[in-house]
Amino acid sequence: MNSRLGQQIAFLVEADKLKSIVRRTPLVDGSRLENSAEHSWHLVLVMMVLREYGPAGIDWMRAIEMVAVHDLVEIDAGDVSAYDETGLEAKSQRERDAADRIFGLLPTDQCDRFRELWDEFEARQTPEARFANAIDRLQPLLQNEHSGGGSWCVQVLADTQILRRMAPIEVAMPDVWPHVLDVVESFCRAGVLQRTRR
Amino acid sequence: MNSRLGQQIAFLVEADKLKSIVRRTPLVDGSRLENSAEHSWHLVLVMMVLREYGPAGIDWMRAIEMVAVHDLVEIDAGDVSAYDETGLEAKSQRERDAADRIFGLLPTDQCDRFRELWDEFEARQTPEARFANAIDRLQPLLQNEHSGGGSWCVQVLADTQILRRMAPIEVAMPDVWPHVLDVVESFCRAGVLQRTRR
């Protein structure tokens, strides 16, 4: 086998490990927690369906590629709860090390390209990255909404924490934001989230 | 919530069920069988990495969207082994019914668009569909290769059956075909596949 194809296959085989990284969010039927690979697929689908709510004229292909690769670093760095402040401090360095190793399996040109996609997603400065991040916030909200609270039920969380986490949706998909507010309100009413704003 | 967004969310929530459709192919570490949602994500990634081996000038976005949606019909129709001739006969009608119901959850314009993507994938007539199908054959071969034979170990299969199944790779990615031949040859030598060609 030529060594370029060999490197590419080694990367694709390594990527298989993302299927074993377990997230906090359950499947809608509550049968188990979802993993980061199937979550990434779901993001691609959410993006295909909800793109009309995003900014006009962006590079959709790039945005889709960003969500497809955004979680690969978790193979080394794990999935850290968005509400775990301690975990988040160390997370950033661990994820950069993971990006070095995992994208480093690819031939140099592709390593650079994938790293660029990941850096762009993390920096949240371009419209594509902002939309991709908004989709990455919205999908777990929908999972939680339709599984009776999901990951919101296993820790004590306030409405303001959720809304801060979901804020990228307000910017990137303003027409979807009222649905986010409705969901948070209804889970406050159900006693799953703590109501702290008035 | 406006009813268009409501329909879109209902579709996205229904799509979550693809995470519970179990395939024949194991994860590379052999810990369990993979599901069709994480398989679909892996196809997106394989396509991103191996596109240089595909035809020039095709619509990559369309090809990626095709692999993202191609297995959704399995939510109703299940995953049938590619080597189960009896199952394959009934499969086609069940999958069309599934496409009617599942894509039918979307607003009409999106239902038509997703159905078109799925029909195009199934018909294998366009270069995009031929490449998407080749990727859908190659990914399980890589999983099997790197998990000691994977799904090839649980049924009696001949080299010619595998090569017939993999034939779309020869057409769409001729430079990857020698690797397929090498893999099949080595699993014949290991006694996992029956050697019938000379």
Side-chain angles (χ1 to χ4, degrees):
Chain A
M1 188 178 359
N2 83 59
S3 82
R4 181 171 171 88
L5 180 57
Q7 286 177 287
Q8 291 163 326
I9 290 178
F11 168 80
L12 291 170
V13 169
E14 183 70 15
D16 185 73
K17 293 181 182 164
L18 195 61
K19 301 168 189 170
S20 299
I21 303 297
V22 176
R23 290 168 48 80
R24 267 74 180 166
T25 321
L27 301 195
V28 167
D29 68 6
S31 57
R32 61 171 173 83
L33 298 176
E34 73 171 353
N35 68 59
S36 293
E38 58 199 7
H39 159 72
S40 297
W41 164 75
H42 214 165
L43 295 191
V44 172
L45 202 67
V46 177
M47 195 169 271
M48 287 173 65
V49 172
L50 300 187
R51 72 177 59 160
E52 69 197 62
Y53 303 99
I58 72 171
D59 181 347
W60 290 108
M61 175 81 167
R62 191 165 180 87
I64 283 184
E65 289 185 323
M66 251 183 251
V67 299
V69 307
H70 84 293
D71 267 346
L72 280 169
V73 295
E74 293 182 356
I75 289 171
D76 288 352
D79 178 59
V80 174
S81 164
Y83 305 103
D84 169 7
E85 301 291 334
T86 331
L88 288 175
E89 279 176 42
K91 185 186 169 212
S92 176
Q93 184 57 49
R94 276 209 315 277
E95 289 194 343
R96 281 195 300 276
D97 294 344
D100 289 346
R101 186 189 74 78
I102 297 164
F103 298 135
L105 295 170
L106 285 164
T108 314
D109 58 318
Q110 291 189 316
C111 169
D112 293 348
R113 193 163 170 277
F114 276 60
R115 180 57 180 257
E116 240 176 59
L117 285 169
W118 183 73
D119 285 340
E120 182 177 343
F121 178 87
E122 289 294 309
R124 291 181 229 161
Q125 295 303 310
T126 62
E128 286 81 3
R130 280 197 288 264
F131 189 69
N133 273 276
I135 295 288
D136 188 39
R137 309 295 164 101
L138 181 65
Q139 185 263 353
L141 175 125
L142 296 178
Q143 298 285 118
N144 282 344
E145 176 191 2
H146 293 272
S147 61
S151 64
W152 295 336
C153 300
V154 294
Q155 44 193 330
V156 180
L157 290 169
D159 50 5
T160 46
Q161 284 177 285
I162 306 296
L163 290 173
R164 212 163 35 235
R165 175 83 190 146
M166 297 298 153
I169 301 171
E170 185 173 16
V171 179
M173 314 169 77
D175 290 345
V176 176
W177 187 242
H179 179 67
V180 174
L181 293 176
D182 284 351
V183 171
V184 170
E185 169 58 26
S186 79
F187 280 89
C188 280
R189 230 181 296 124
V192 172
L193 298 173
Q194 290 194 307
R195 192 191 301 278
T196 61
R197 68 200 273 267
R198 32 182 62 247
Chain B
M1 186 177 1
N2 82 60
S3 83
R4 181 169 172 87
L5 180 57
Q7 285 178 287
Q8 290 163 327
I9 290 178
F11 168 80
L12 292 169
V13 169
E14 182 70 16
D16 186 73
K17 293 181 182 164
L18 195 60
K19 300 169 189 169
S20 300
I21 303 298
V22 176
R23 289 168 49 81
R24 267 73 180 167
T25 320
L27 300 195
V28 167
D29 69 5
S31 57
R32 62 171 172 83
L33 298 176
E34 71 171 354
N35 69 59
S36 294
E38 59 199 8
H39 158 72
S40 297
W41 163 77
H42 214 165
L43 296 191
V44 173
L45 201 68
V46 177
M47 196 170 269
M48 287 174 64
V49 172
L50 300 187
R51 73 177 58 160
E52 70 198 63
Y53 303 99
I58 72 170
D59 181 346
W60 290 109
M61 175 81 167
R62 190 165 180 87
I64 284 184
E65 289 186 323
M66 251 182 252
V67 298
V69 307
H70 83 293
D71 267 347
L72 280 169
V73 294
E74 293 182 357
I75 289 172
D76 288 352
D79 178 60
V80 174
S81 165
Y83 305 103
D84 169 6
E85 300 291 334
T86 331
L88 288 175
E89 279 176 42
K91 185 185 169 214
S92 176
Q93 184 56 49
R94 275 209 315 277
E95 289 194 344
R96 281 195 301 274
D97 293 345
D100 289 345
R101 185 189 75 78
I102 296 165
F103 299 135
L105 295 170
L106 285 164
T108 315
D109 58 318
Q110 291 190 315
C111 169
D112 293 348
R113 194 166 168 275
F114 276 60
R115 179 58 180 256
E116 240 176 59
L117 284 169
W118 183 73
D119 285 340
E120 182 177 344
F121 179 88
E122 290 293 311
R124 291 181 228 159
Q125 295 303 309
T126 63
E128 287 81 2
R130 279 196 289 262
F131 189 68
N133 273 276
I135 296 287
D136 188 39
R137 309 294 165 102
L138 181 64
Q139 184 264 355
L141 175 125
L142 297 177
Q143 299 286 117
N144 282 345
E145 176 191 1
H146 292 271
S147 61
S151 63
W152 294 337
C153 300
V154 293
Q155 45 192 330
V156 181
L157 289 170
D159 49 5
T160 45
Q161 284 178 285
I162 307 296
L163 291 173
R164 210 160 38 231
R165 175 84 190 144
M166 296 298 153
I169 301 173
E170 186 173 15
V171 179
M173 315 169 76
D175 289 345
V176 177
W177 187 243
H179 179 66
V180 174
L181 293 175
D182 285 351
V183 172
V184 170
E185 170 58 27
S186 79
F187 280 89
C188 281
R189 229 180 298 126
V192 172
L193 297 174
Q194 291 195 306
R195 191 191 301 279
T196 60
R197 67 202 273 267
R198 31 179 65 246

